[in-house]
Amino acid sequence: MTRTMIPKPNPAAGGGDEVALRPGQIDRRKFTLHVEAGTFTDSEIVVMLGENGTGKTTFVRMLAGALKSDEEEAALERGDEEEAELLGVPSLNVSYKPQKIR
């Protein structure tokens, strides 16, 4: 399961989202999270620790159903709802509290 996030253009900062990169330079504005399948049981407590910017919140938002994977979104764009359901996260009871309360 993969999720790629690219920041939206900021009109207040000049509007364009194109950035000139030197050869070999990484575009740090783009973030890609790739998750491989695993298992857990209902009697386990799972804890995630890690540095800032490693995808912890993105992963939990995907588990909670607040974000769809790139593969699921592509299937929905093609109109294939059955495939999208197979590619999505299984139905889980996830309690998610956003980091920033609006």
Side-chain angles (χ1 to χ4, degrees):
M1 182 168 65
T2 302
R3 176 68 189 187
T4 303
M5 301 177 84
I6 301 170
K8 295 177 183 173
N10 183 355
D17 60 349
E18 296 296 320
V19 174
L21 299 175
R22 295 185 301 270
Q25 185 179 5
I26 297 172
D27 185 354
R28 299 203 184 277
R29 301 169 312 133
K30 178 178 165 183
F31 174 78
T32 303
L33 172 69
H34 180 72
V35 181
E36 295 185 17
T39 60
F40 62 92
T41 65
D42 60 356
S43 62
E44 291 181 318
I45 296 173
V46 179
V47 177
M48 286 194 308
L49 298 172
E51 296 179 24
N52 292 345
T54 57
K56 299 178 300 289
T57 301
T58 301
F59 179 59
V60 171
R61 289 179 66 201
M62 290 174 76
L63 290 178
L67 280 177
K68 295 183 181 345
S69 70
D70 292 347
E71 299 88 354
E72 186 178 2
E73 284 185 346
L76 288 172
E77 286 177 10
R78 291 191 305 271
D80 193 345
E81 293 184 20
E82 286 182 21
E83 183 181 4
E85 189 172 326
L86 291 173
L87 292 170
V89 175
S91 179
L92 299 170
N93 291 325
V94 175
S95 176
Y96 170 66
K97 177 183 169 193
Q99 290 183 22
K100 297 177 183 174
I101 299 172
R102 297 173 203 256

